Amino acid sequence: MKKEDIPQDDGALNKLTREIVYATDSTGNYTTELSTGWDVKAKALDVKALVLPESTNDVAITLKICNDYKQAVVPQGGLSNVVNSATANAQEIAISLERMNAIQQVDNINQFVEVEAGVILENLHEKVRQSGFIFPLDLGAKGSCMIGGNIATNAGGLQALRYGVMRNLVLGLEVVLPDGSILNNLNPVLKNNTGYDLKHLFIGSEGTLGIITRAILKLNPEPAFFSTAFIALEIFENSRELLNRAKIFFGDKLTSFEILWPAFYRLLTNENSGNKKVMPDNYPLYVLTEIASSNAAIQSQMERFLETAFNDNIIVDAVFAQRQEDRKQFWQIREKIDHILVQHNPVFTFDVSLPISEMGQYVSTVDTELKQNFDTVYNYVFGHMGDGNLHLMINCGEENIDAKELVEKIVYAPLQSIYSSVSAEHGIGLTKKKWLFFSKSAEEISLMRSIKNLLDPNNIMNPGKIF
Ligand SMILES: Cc1cc2nc3c(=O)[nH]c(=O)nc-3n(C[C@H](O)[C@H](O)[C@H](O)COP(=O)(O)OP(=O)(O)OC[C@H]3O[C@@H](n4cnc5c(N)ncnc54)[C@H](O)[C@@H]3O)c2cc1C
């Protein structure tokens, strides 16, 4: 098909398609699969179009055209976010990075890897393991989420206690700005004190400032040995004591310290869950913890540690993963949270940050308030206790907006008087916009808006998200 054969209309997509052809195909030939290999589809979904770029240059051309037409775009990775941050509507063009999925050679000496933004997290795990490394970001959605999405949400996950969140794992970035210019910040050096560190603007920006196309990521040597334990406790205060002791005893070998309230453990090990009960389900509280090291002695260290905790009445029961299969089973209990969504509908999902010292009181306040306001209450609480991050998944038998708002108020109200955040790791998206002021001051929000206006004066990048 020739450029002039494209049907004429005034629609923005048609104009955009013609411009892309013009910009990328000097012969004027148009096929759905364009000369650069990238694809523009009017999608059957509720979006104006889906663009599937194959290179940074494709992204740059797309954004330049969209900016000229003031056409809103929504960057998309693996679509695993839970706050509607990658949702696009019929007036918006979705740009999926899924075809930009190359992993470059692992740099063994300098311990980094360069990747395109569309690499699926689990594929990166497998690739770097072949060179004896780990990329330590690990989360339940690893089979579908992509590095660009992980960076844009500043993802946390199961090993943040030891290795930090995505912000701590990114050395350099390449970003296409809304006007189509390419910001090359792909510098892998650890120390670079040359003014503002611009990559941090884009980490956690939820696609509102530009499209991340490439990243240089920090690697860590793969630990040869793991010791994983499922532990039962009588009271919350003892889990705080256990965490403190674990930090001192294991130092940087401690990779995870996850807490599970009993309703969560019971549901995730019930007969329909596909999980095995690794200990009785009538204890008041559970902890799943893991240490990792290159030294085989860690198994006996874990045993010694728990024996002391048992003798000091800190814990009441514990089981160890004897084989890799046990370790997998333990983690499945923590990670298979979609089972909650199978059992209940609707489920309101929260990920809050708060001081570890406040967690026990916080959970019982929320529980009490929920029970005072609803006849039916299922409150599944679990999370990355070591990072001060709890997840709450709540069903109160009602689906309407009023019920949702009331649950949100109940969950967020106790956070206002303590150091806290309404989002520890999932971001704001559309879902939490109206609660942003709980965790950011008016001055902070105003500066965030100024930065957005400066980089994206036409407000084409993921408009309406965060603010
Ligand atoms: C079962 C399950 C477990 C989870 N566990 C965790 C957890 O432990 N920790 C955690 O932090 N999160 C967790 N999440 C949430 C989610 O997986 C993360 O937020 C993840 O980082 C999103 O990545 P994605 O590729 O799916 O991004 P998407 O959902 O596609 O997009 C998320 C945001 O990033 C933007 N974006 C995507 N790609 C780009 C790009 N290339 N450039 C600019 N912006 C972009 C989008 O516009 C959107 O704002 C979990 C989700 C599920 C379903």
Side-chain angles (χ1 to χ4, degrees):
M1 192 195 266
K2 294 273 184 205
K3 188 166 62 133
E4 47 276 19
D5 298 332
I6 298 173
Q8 297 276 352
D9 71 51
D10 292 333
L13 171 62
N14 196 269
K15 284 184 191 164
L16 180 75
T17 310
R18 292 173 67 82
E19 284 286 325
I20 290 171
V21 176
Y22 180 71
T24 58
D25 184 355
S26 56
T27 65
N29 285 325
Y30 170 71
T31 57
T32 45
E33 198 74 23
L34 296 174
S35 57
T36 53
W38 59 315
D39 212 350
V40 184
K41 291 179 187 164
K43 233 194 147 196
L45 292 173
D46 250 358
V47 295
K48 188 180 264 185
L50 171 69
V51 178
L52 296 159
E54 290 206 330
S55 69
T56 301
N57 200 36
D58 291 349
V59 176
I61 293 167
T62 308
L63 283 196
K64 180 169 182 347
I65 294 166
C66 289
N67 198 41
D68 289 348
Y69 284 101
K70 298 189 173 42
Q71 168 61 53
V73 300
V74 179
Q76 294 185 337
L79 296 176
S80 69
N81 77 85
V82 290
V83 291
N84 286 320
S85 56
T87 310
N89 64 37
Q91 279 74 50
E92 293 171 329
I93 287 180
I95 303 180
S96 168
L97 278 286
E98 65 194 66
R99 289 191 178 172
M100 293 181 60
N101 58 9
I103 304 176
Q104 299 207 320
Q105 197 62 32
V106 172
D107 186 324
N108 289 292
I109 305 291
N110 300 298
Q111 304 198 346
F112 69 77
V113 61
E114 187 173 331
V115 297
E116 288 186 320
V119 169
I120 290 178
L121 178 60
E122 196 165 40
N123 293 348
L124 181 63
H125 287 168
E126 280 158 22
K127 173 76 179 180
V128 302
R129 195 165 290 130
Q130 292 162 15
S131 305
F133 290 104
I134 54 163
F135 178 63
L137 180 75
D138 190 9
L139 44 107
K142 58 180 170 260
S144 58
C145 66
M146 295 177 189
I147 296 301
N150 298 147
I151 297 171
T153 55
N154 186 26
L158 299 163
Q159 303 194 107
L161 179 60
R162 161 73 178 87
Y163 299 101
V165 295
M166 201 62 183
R167 195 177 290 288
N168 309 108
L169 301 170
V170 174
L171 293 171
L173 280 187
E174 177 187 79
V175 183
V176 179
L177 300 178
D179 66 0
S181 56
I182 299 169
L183 184 75
N184 186 331
N185 174 236
L186 287 170
N187 187 341
V189 296
L190 274 179
K191 294 173 136 185
N192 183 1
N193 276 350
T194 49
Y196 308 141
D197 196 342
L198 295 176
K199 65 176 176 284
H200 287 296
L201 263 187
F202 300 94
I203 302 172
S205 65
E206 298 184 37
T208 59
L209 298 180
I211 298 193
I212 297 155
T213 43
R214 262 171 201 284
I216 296 186
L217 305 172
K218 212 191 278 184
L219 298 175
N220 282 79
E222 185 177 19
F225 302 96
F226 297 90
S227 179
T228 316
F230 228 105
I231 300 159
L233 307 94
E234 290 285 2
I235 50 170
F236 176 77
E237 286 64 30
N238 286 350
S239 65
R240 291 189 326 208
E241 172 65 18
L242 190 70
L243 173 60
N244 270 352
R245 287 182 176 206
K247 282 180 176 169
I248 295 164
F249 191 82
F250 296 122
D252 69 2
K253 294 188 207 94
L254 182 66
T255 51
S256 313
F257 195 96
E258 301 286 310
I259 190 158
L260 289 65
W261 263 259
F264 179 90
Y265 179 77
R266 274 198 287 276
L267 191 83
L268 270 287
T269 55
N270 75 9
E271 59 280 10
N272 311 318
S273 64
N275 289 332
K276 210 175 116 186
K277 273 192 207 315
V278 296
M279 56 172 47
D281 66 8
N282 56 351
Y283 289 119
L285 204 59
Y286 299 85
V287 161
L288 171 59
T289 189
E290 184 162 284
I291 52 174
S293 165
S294 54
N295 188 334
I298 60 166
Q299 186 67 35
S300 56
Q301 280 171 11
M302 177 68 99
E303 283 168 24
R304 258 201 340 271
F305 173 74
L306 291 177
E307 198 179 313
T308 309
F310 192 78
N311 291 337
D312 292 348
N313 296 320
I314 305 293
I315 66 173
V316 287
D317 200 355
V319 281
F320 302 95
Q322 303 291 350
R323 300 158 297 149
Q324 181 59 20
E325 190 48 39
D326 300 338
R327 182 178 172 227
K328 216 170 129 191
Q329 265 179 16
F330 286 13
W331 278 110
Q332 259 178 25
I333 295 172
R334 166 62 185 81
E335 288 188 75
K336 209 175 172 190
I337 52 176
D338 52 349
H339 184 54
I340 299 175
L341 306 175
V342 172
Q343 301 284 308
H344 299 286
N345 183 38
V347 174
F348 305 127
T349 304
F350 301 90
D351 75 311
V352 297
S353 267
L354 68 163
I356 291 165
S357 52
E358 308 281 344
M359 283 179 173
Q361 181 57 49
Y362 171 73
V363 172
S364 58
T365 304
V366 171
D367 251 344
T368 309
E369 285 286 315
L370 287 171
K371 283 174 188 149
Q372 277 170 5
N373 284 279
F374 296 99
D375 295 336
T376 307
V377 174
Y378 295 96
N379 181 13
Y380 300 104
V381 188
F382 58 101
H384 316 296
M385 179 177 179
D387 313 334
N389 171 195
L390 288 182
H391 295 292
L392 295 90
M393 294 178 76
I394 300 170
N395 170 274
C396 58
E398 295 176 38
E399 189 161 15
N400 55 62
I401 294 286
D402 289 347
K404 183 170 179 283
E405 274 196 28
L406 182 55
V407 172
E408 286 176 348
K409 272 191 196 137
I410 290 171
V411 169
Y412 293 139
L415 297 177
Q416 225 173 0
S417 55
I418 52 176
Y419 289 115
S420 63
S421 171
V422 296
S423 175
E425 45 183 28
H426 293 161
I428 298 295
L430 292 175
T431 310
K432 293 192 201 149
K433 270 166 72 160
K434 75 168 185 239
W435 301 103
L436 182 65
F437 76 98
F438 259 55
S439 307
K440 288 266 194 278
S441 66
E443 293 75 18
E444 286 174 295
I445 295 174
S446 166
L447 185 55
M448 282 163 65
R449 281 189 192 283
S450 304
I451 291 168
K452 166 80 171 160
N453 287 339
L454 178 73
L455 290 180
D456 184 20
N458 292 329
N459 194 25
I460 65 160
M461 292 300 315
N462 215 2
K465 310 292 167 34
I466 303 182
F467 302 105

